[in-house]
Amino acid sequence: MSAITDVPGVLVGHHERLGDGWASGTTVVLVPGGATGAVDQRGGAPGTRETNLLEPENLVRTVNAVCLSGGSAFGLAAADGVMRWLDERHLGFPIGALPHEVVPIVPGAVLFDLPRSDWGNRPDASFGYAACEAAGREFAQGTVGAGTGAVVGSLKGGIGTASEVVGEFTVGAIAAVNASGEAVDFRTGRAFAADHEVAGEFGVTWPDRPGSVPSAATDLNTTIGVVAVDAALSKAECRRLAVAAQDGLARAVRPAHTMFDGDTAFALATGARELPDADAPFGVASRAAALSELCSAAARVFTRAMVHGLLTATSAAGVPAYRDVWPEAFPGRQ
């Protein structure tokens, strides 16, 4: 699987509840060794936590995890469980002389999926803790974690991931696809980002026929995700990756970044490999060119992650999935 966990030092875990009045969950991107963090938020309806901390001018540079959750603003509580899990392992920003005297740094964002569950059923701290317990290099895509109650336009959304290698660096992304806009041209069944998707990864054959579903559009949405790289970047450079990830989002859905979306992209740089420095040929320009290549890759992998979230989603809470409308797109998988 092409995944964000192809970036060394990055782990992912999900926890969700589906059925019996539930359709919501939480996804945690763990970086136990720490990573430089940044964020870019667009759209008019954000739900976030600890994003001001990530501004380049502020003190703390390293984050320990990013928490992505359903449940709208209620779901921000899931990050409390992530903090508890990290605190038990003494992972965080050191504030004292003893190993356990740390404050875990856990930025987070939520998406709006409340109509898919009975009122009052939304992720809490136990979801964040359980997602950390499940974290590893292998993880599921689709109607899991933060993608459990996701909807993209008229279709079921989900969580997807992708990665690519750029020179000696690895760039990966994970996205919970819950956009107000549509991800598919209903005249042809082709994803809007089809040209950016490696169809062979899922054996997809775009159907080239119309599809019809009852509108499942909601008033509030939000796509949230993380892009990661094994490069050593400053907070400002890391933010350029998050900005590029939003470009990838805009390729995948139409329209993007509306007043009803709170689209939020985080970026993590683990620092394992150095970019060219001032002593390299062409100095600052050489470093900027290398960063530009990473940003281009960040946009591509975020786009692919969103398409993967669409294709792997299964119907839930009465919302049809892409594979229900165009089953022939998956030869041998019906």
Side-chain angles (χ1 to χ4, degrees):
M1 179 177 73
S2 169
I4 191 174
T5 51
D6 292 334
V7 179
V10 176
L11 306 174
V12 171
H14 301 306
H15 183 70
E16 68 281 330
R17 290 189 64 180
L18 182 59
D20 296 326
W22 279 88
S24 192
T26 298
T27 296
V28 174
V29 180
L30 280 176
V31 276
T36 301
V39 67
D40 186 76
Q41 190 282 313
R42 304 187 191 184
T48 57
R49 165 188 170 127
E50 293 276 45
T51 50
N52 283 354
L53 171 148
L54 298 175
E55 296 295 332
E57 69 270 21
N58 290 334
L59 172 66
V60 176
R61 172 175 176 168
T62 301
V63 305
N64 306 106
V66 175
C67 184
L68 310 174
S69 188
S72 190
F74 298 106
L76 291 171
D80 293 339
V82 182
M83 287 193 70
R84 180 163 65 88
W85 190 92
L86 291 164
D87 182 47
E88 291 173 357
R89 289 152 182 81
H90 306 160
L91 298 173
F93 184 74
I95 60 168
L98 299 177
H100 70 278
E101 295 177 335
V102 299
V103 176
I105 305 301
V106 185
V110 291
L111 56 79
F112 184 82
D113 60 1
L114 296 181
R116 264 70 77 190
S117 298
D118 291 345
W119 188 255
N121 290 347
R122 53 247 181 173
D124 57 17
S126 68
F127 278 63
Y129 192 95
C132 290
E133 288 282 274
R137 293 199 62 207
E138 300 292 329
F139 59 95
Q141 299 184 80
T143 305
V144 294
T148 302
V151 168
V152 54
S154 303
L155 295 170
K156 182 70 181 67
I159 200 155
T161 188
S163 70
E164 72 172 76
V165 175
V166 182
E168 62 181 3
F169 300 100
T170 302
V171 183
I174 188 168
V177 186
N178 188 65
S180 177
E182 299 284 359
V184 178
D185 183 343
F186 277 80
R187 297 170 300 177
T188 65
R190 288 177 62 88
F192 288 129
D195 292 343
H196 300 275
E197 160 66 9
V198 181
E201 291 179 287
F202 283 93
V204 173
T205 301
W206 301 113
D208 196 25
R209 71 163 176 86
S212 178
V213 298
S215 174
T218 60
D219 292 334
L220 296 170
N221 295 78
T222 297
T223 294
I224 52 180
V226 180
V227 61
V229 64
D230 55 351
L233 303 179
S234 68
K235 288 174 76 175
E237 290 170 330
C238 201
R239 187 171 186 275
R240 295 304 307 175
L241 288 184
V243 169
Q246 296 277 15
D247 295 337
L249 188 160
R251 295 170 182 167
V253 294
R254 299 179 186 177
H257 308 140
T258 74
M259 286 300 295
F260 305 104
D261 294 290
D263 302 326
T264 302
F266 295 92
L268 299 172
T270 65
R273 300 176 184 275
E274 294 289 340
L275 262 62
D277 58 25
D279 296 328
F282 307 107
V284 172
S286 180
R287 184 177 181 90
L291 177 62
S292 183
E293 290 295 319
L294 296 180
C295 289
S296 295
R300 290 192 296 268
V301 296
F302 206 89
T303 299
R304 288 172 52 216
M306 290 188 65
V307 177
H308 295 171
L310 168 74
L311 296 178
T312 56
T314 53
S315 62
V319 183
Y322 180 92
R323 61 183 55 236
D324 299 319
V325 182
W326 292 282
E328 71 272 24
F330 304 87
R333 295 192 183 191
Q334 290 93 314

